[in-house]
Amino acid sequence: MTLQQSLSQAVSALAANPLLREQAQRDAELLLLDVVGIDRATLLAHPQRELTEEQAGRYKAAIARRLKNEPVQYITGRQEFFGLDLKVTPATLIPRPETEHLVEAVLERMPRSEAITILDIGTGTGAIAIALAAHLPLAEIVATDISGEALRVAEWNAHAHKLGERIRFIQSDLLGG
């Protein structure tokens, strides 16, 4: 089956679900690109390219997961945030585009030429801590989370962006007694 045929079938299946209809095209495309390991330009330039049997099976499984309302980010295991490709898992919340405004606001107010300390509470994927570490080279950043599993994801993300040495990760329940 070709990329275009697979995509068309997936869009139809997703669009049949009223909750998924609005983003059916986008979701089907994102999942196809992830499974095949290509970018959108390649998809558009080569829609007649054939999927391997293994790719077709993985794509069908990904669409089945989406039809159960599982977020695309958990299916692909990734989410872009502030220009960073981050790993996400069900142990973490999915970084929201609106949170990028928080990072922008901090960057507007923080001096880049001074050593400062920043505490990221409930770091999850580490999105905020990592984005700030990438743009504030003198900042000491401490990222905390109650979940050890979430902290492992955040540490993985920090190391993937070569910022693991700049962020201290601490498992802590700041509100617990």
Side-chain angles (χ1 to χ4, degrees):
M1 184 172 296
T2 68
L3 294 173
Q4 185 57 51
Q5 291 168 328
S6 297
L7 182 62
S8 293
Q9 285 182 3
V11 169
S12 293
L14 293 174
N17 179 327
L19 297 174
L20 303 175
R21 183 172 298 131
E22 194 172 304
Q23 67 269 11
Q25 177 72 35
R26 181 198 64 139
D27 291 355
E29 193 172 287
L30 286 172
L31 292 170
L32 182 61
L33 298 176
D34 182 67
V35 164
V36 180
I38 59 173
D39 59 22
R40 190 163 192 273
T42 302
L43 172 62
L44 295 173
H46 305 285
Q48 298 309 312
R49 177 175 159 183
E50 294 284 328
L51 273 76
T52 66
E53 241 180 80
E54 187 264 338
Q55 289 171 334
R58 285 183 33 232
Y59 188 49
K60 184 177 180 180
I63 295 300
R65 288 173 66 184
R66 185 66 187 120
L67 284 167
K68 292 178 184 172
N69 295 311
E70 185 173 351
V72 170
Q73 296 88 339
Y74 289 156
I75 299 168
T76 65
R78 298 188 348 246
Q79 172 65 26
E80 189 274 333
F81 180 85
F82 216 76
L84 303 164
D85 187 33
L86 299 176
K87 174 181 179 177
V88 296
T89 73
T92 64
L93 294 176
I94 299 164
R96 305 279 309 154
E98 299 83 16
T99 306
E100 291 184 354
H101 299 302
L102 172 68
V103 172
E104 289 170 351
V106 170
L107 291 175
E108 286 174 6
R109 290 166 178 79
M110 291 294 121
R112 294 175 195 248
S113 58
E114 285 180 34
I116 57 172
T117 302
I118 297 172
L119 175 61
D120 180 14
I121 300 170
T123 198
T125 61
I128 294 170
I130 295 165
L132 291 174
H135 291 88
L136 297 171
L138 298 179
E140 176 190 348
I141 300 179
V142 178
T144 69
D145 205 294
I146 192 170
S147 167
E149 209 174 327
L151 277 177
R152 284 188 287 284
V153 173
E155 288 183 78
W156 189 95
N157 282 328
H159 287 288
H161 291 284
K162 300 183 181 6
L163 295 165
E165 302 302 318
R166 302 242 353 268
I167 305 168
R168 188 166 38 136
F169 294 93
I170 300 172
Q171 185 173 358
S172 176
D173 179 359
L174 296 176
L175 300 177

